[in-house]
Amino acid sequence: MAVLLQTHYPSSLHSPRYRYICRNPNRYRYFPKFPATTTKFLVRYNATVEFSGDRNLSHRSQASPTTSVADHQACSEMAPLKLPQAFVHLAFSAVLFLCFGVRACSASSPALTAGPSSVQEEQTIQDDHDGRKHDKKENVVDKELEAAFNTWKSKTYALTVPLKVVALRGSMPPSWIKDFINSQGRRMKFNVKYYADLESIFSDLSIPFTKGNLGPASALAADIVGIGDSWLKFAITKAIIEPIRDVDQEWFKGLDEKWKVYLRRNCEGEIDPNGEIWAAPYRWGCMVIAYKTNKFQKHKLAPIEDWADLWRSDLAGRISMVDSPREVVGAVLKYMGASYNTNDINLEVDGGRDAVKLNLDLLAKQVRLFDSVNYLKSFGAGDVWVAVGWSSDVIPVAKRMSNVAVIVPKSGASLWADLWAIPAASRIQTNRIGGRVRGASPLIHQWIEFCLQSARALPFKQEVIPGASPSLLQGHSANVPVELTKGRPKLNTNLVEGAPPPEIVERCEFLEPLSNSTLSDYRLLLASIQEPGHGLIHKMHQYISSMVKFSGWFKSKLT
């Protein structure tokens, strides 16, 4: 047992996690050799035991320092001695004990090394499981993205081009919108907003520049707006519209020369051959005279044919008329053989201003009501037999009534036009009207060209909308096919397809811009015939009485 007690086991630990590395040069020698020696040698025996990674045990005997060289030589020369049986059993038992101890130590090492292997295996399994989950999740996401992409591809369009239009109510046939959308396809987003009158459109265009009240519903946010030609100069001078760029288009080339001259303006709104094109027409008409044929027949009155008939004594007090200075004074000038666009009355009219004033006073005695709002109400109620106004107002009312004729005076009349213009939204730095500040829609020229196509004249020919197509200004047929007006109320008129006959069109005039001094003179002339009886209270009384009479007339028609 002394041998076991003095045995040394130097070991080296190379791994921080349960791994022992024990060097053993004699890894294949399991048992030590016991040479025959003396008892002294046996007591001083030293053995070195080293553990290696393969768990093999080896003993390497070393000479004891107390043993002499002679003893070693003697031992090497001595023949093997037969040890006593008891000692052999004891030595064998010790070796077995030592082997079992080492084996037990080796058996305990798997418990130490099994930990990291087990943990590593579990971690690998967990990583594999997480990887499969991640791959599965990525596959689901990929499938969702692919499904969304396929859905996007299946749509009929992926990009929409907007076109927002502001127009006067009743000025544009509803079929235009449907036909234009069909011509452009589903890539276009069309939006239209109607206003009751042109003044409301002009006011809505001006508000953002004066009060800063701007939003997506404003007329300024539209790509294109409908304005009256009488408002064109003011819109230009106030810079609330901008010129139409790139007018070298087919629609512009097809316009009559009258349109090109009238719409080319400078920055002051004056007609200028070197100016820019500020608007494009889509409808036009003229001043007309409507009269009740049954009243004329009953009283054996001659039908009205020209402006001079308004000065007939048998029509005194039987006329209602708009109160526009350009129209009232212009009718007097036309009656005197002058132009609507007379700039200097004293120089351009025979008799000068005094002659114009005299004829205007005579007309005032003939006209019962100057009122652009109520003149047709008075006509419908029966207070007057003759109404003078714009064809866009008169024709719809006349078609709802019976025994009414509508004529364009033979000497010509003033022309009016509804125009498309582009709001100057780019002047305002704001993000409240979307992308409109970056420029108008690219569909503007296509929309203008569409409105000027010959096929767009059909609603005017069918009298669905009052007015005429701009192409008719250069001439048209005097006869309208019967099938176009079949089943519709027949209007007694000299208008052809909503326009004056060609021989009368030549004598008609657009109201060109006049100087401020001339406009002031026109207003003064009209104000001079405003008698006290033509004040606000008198107008209100006439309006109320007209409504009462009209109500009684309407009830009698129903019964």
Side-chain angles (χ1 to χ4, degrees):
M1 297 301 292
V3 175
L4 294 175
L5 293 177
Q6 295 187 16
T7 302
H8 301 282
Y9 302 90
S11 61
S12 62
L13 188 62
H14 291 274
S15 173
R17 265 188 95 155
Y18 314 118
R19 185 177 180 183
Y20 294 94
I21 300 178
C22 304
R23 296 181 179 86
N24 187 3
N26 303 316
R27 60 197 314 171
Y28 301 105
R29 297 175 62 186
Y30 288 89
F31 299 101
K33 296 182 180 179
F34 291 91
T37 184
T38 62
T39 305
K40 182 179 179 181
F41 172 77
L42 292 173
V43 174
R44 300 293 299 176
Y45 177 80
N46 291 324
T48 300
V49 181
E50 292 185 359
F51 293 91
S52 65
D54 53 6
R55 304 194 188 119
N56 292 330
L57 177 65
S58 66
H59 292 269
R60 186 173 55 191
S61 300
Q62 295 180 353
S64 174
T66 57
T67 306
S68 63
V69 176
D71 292 338
H72 284 285
Q73 292 178 354
C75 289
S76 60
E77 295 176 357
M78 289 176 61
L81 297 177
K82 188 176 291 186
L83 297 176
Q85 189 70 24
F87 179 79
V88 172
H89 290 171
L90 180 60
F92 185 72
S93 299
V95 171
L96 289 177
F97 178 79
L98 181 60
C99 290
F100 282 121
V102 174
R103 298 284 292 183
C105 180
S106 300
S108 64
S109 61
L112 294 175
T113 57
S117 299
S118 184
V119 171
Q120 185 175 4
E121 184 176 357
E122 291 178 1
Q123 185 176 0
T124 302
I125 295 173
Q126 182 66 28
D127 291 342
D128 292 341
H129 181 66
D130 293 342
R132 285 193 296 271
K133 287 178 64 179
H134 182 69
D135 293 341
K136 186 176 180 181
K137 186 175 181 180
E138 286 186 349
N139 291 335
V140 172
V141 173
D142 291 342
K143 290 181 179 179
E144 291 178 354
L145 291 176
E146 184 177 0
F149 180 70
N150 291 332
T151 303
W152 177 79
K153 289 197 303 182
S154 65
K155 291 182 178 180
T156 55
Y157 63 92
L159 174 66
T160 57
V161 181
L163 181 64
K164 185 176 181 181
V165 177
V166 168
L168 175 67
R169 184 178 292 113
S171 67
M172 185 173 61
S175 60
W176 284 12
I177 300 174
K178 181 180 178 181
D179 293 342
F180 185 69
I181 293 175
N182 291 336
S183 68
Q184 296 297 317
R186 296 184 178 181
R187 291 184 180 273
M188 183 195 65
K189 183 179 180 182
F190 191 92
N191 182 276
V192 60
K193 182 179 180 181
Y194 294 104
Y195 283 74
D197 50 67
L198 293 172
E199 186 176 359
S200 299
I201 297 178
F202 186 83
S203 176
D204 200 8
L205 284 172
S206 304
I207 285 176
F209 295 99
T210 56
K211 298 182 179 179
N213 186 13
L214 179 62
S218 172
L220 192 65
D223 296 295
I224 196 165
V225 297
I227 62 173
D229 63 321
S230 60
W231 297 91
L232 184 58
K233 178 182 177 179
F234 299 102
I236 294 174
T237 55
K238 297 295 183 181
I240 62 176
I241 63 172
E242 59 187 40
I244 299 178
R245 309 297 181 186
D246 303 325
V247 294
D248 190 20
Q249 306 282 335
E250 291 298 326
W251 65 264
F252 184 74
K253 295 177 182 178
L255 286 178
D256 185 74
E257 193 62 27
K258 285 185 178 180
W259 288 115
K260 295 179 181 179
V261 172
Y262 185 56
L263 299 175
R264 194 176 291 279
R265 310 286 181 97
N266 56 27
C267 293
E268 299 299 324
E270 305 291 340
I271 295 177
D272 187 348
N274 297 320
E276 296 181 285
I277 299 298
W278 291 82
Y282 69 93
R283 184 179 74 142
W284 67 283
C286 60
M287 286 291 287
V288 294
I289 301 174
Y291 64 95
K292 293 186 176 182
T293 57
N294 58 338
K295 296 291 185 180
F296 276 60
Q297 292 171 0
K298 181 179 179 180
H299 295 85
K300 298 179 181 180
L301 302 178
I304 295 177
E305 294 181 351
D306 207 350
W307 292 111
D309 293 323
L310 298 181
W311 277 262
R312 284 166 28 186
S313 59
D314 53 6
L315 295 179
R318 300 296 185 181
I319 303 172
S320 65
M321 191 175 183
V322 296
D323 59 0
S324 167
R326 290 295 303 269
E327 298 294 355
V328 175
V329 177
V332 174
L333 292 172
K334 206 69 177 174
Y335 164 65
M336 298 177 66
S339 170
Y340 272 94
N341 300 308
T342 300
N343 271 298
D344 193 330
I345 295 178
N346 287 322
L347 294 178
E348 299 178 33
V349 180
D350 293 340
R353 192 177 188 278
D354 293 337
V356 173
K357 177 69 169 59
L358 177 61
N359 286 316
L360 185 60
D361 290 338
L362 294 175
L363 179 63
K365 296 177 180 179
Q366 298 288 109
V367 177
R368 182 172 182 177
L369 177 65
F370 287 100
D371 192 331
S372 298
V373 177
N374 299 310
Y375 75 102
L376 287 176
K377 294 178 181 177
S378 179
F379 180 70
D383 288 344
V384 295
W385 299 348
V386 180
V388 183
W390 299 285
S391 58
S392 57
D393 293 341
V394 174
I395 291 177
V397 173
K399 292 179 67 174
R400 293 194 296 265
M401 301 173 61
S402 59
N403 302 314
V404 174
V406 178
I407 64 102
V408 183
K410 291 190 300 183
S411 59
S414 64
L415 300 177
W416 57 264
D418 286 335
L419 314 172
W420 294 125
I422 302 176
S426 56
R427 287 183 52 206
I428 298 182
Q429 300 298 325
T430 180
N431 58 358
R432 298 183 60 188
I433 57 176
R436 178 62 185 86
V437 294
R438 294 190 294 271
S441 171
L443 295 175
I444 282 181
H445 285 290
Q446 297 182 41
W447 170 250
I448 295 175
E449 184 174 354
F450 173 84
C451 295
L452 293 174
Q453 292 174 355
S454 58
R456 306 286 80 78
L458 184 60
F460 300 120
K461 295 178 180 179
Q462 294 176 335
E463 300 178 355
V464 176
I465 295 291
S469 172
S471 60
L472 295 184
L473 189 62
Q474 56 192 3
H476 54 83
S477 173
N479 298 319
V480 180
V482 179
E483 58 271 13
L484 293 180
T485 57
K486 186 177 181 180
R488 298 182 180 276
K490 181 64 177 178
L491 183 64
N492 183 7
T493 180
N494 63 348
L495 292 169
V496 180
E497 298 182 8
E503 65 276 8
I504 298 180
V505 170
E506 296 297 326
R507 306 185 192 104
C508 294
E509 303 173 81
F510 283 110
L511 297 181
E512 299 176 0
L514 298 177
S515 63
N516 292 332
S517 59
T518 302
L519 287 176
S520 298
D521 194 22
Y522 278 42
R523 296 189 186 100
L524 289 174
L525 287 171
L526 183 61
S528 66
I529 62 173
Q530 295 287 340
E531 297 179 359
H534 293 166
L536 179 61
I537 297 178
H538 179 71
K539 288 184 178 181
M540 291 180 63
H541 175 72
Q542 285 187 329
Y543 173 70
I544 294 173
S545 62
S546 298
M547 290 302 295
V548 172
K549 291 181 180 180
F550 181 75
S551 177
W553 171 83
F554 185 73
K555 289 181 180 180
S556 65
K557 290 294 183 181
L558 292 178
T559 56

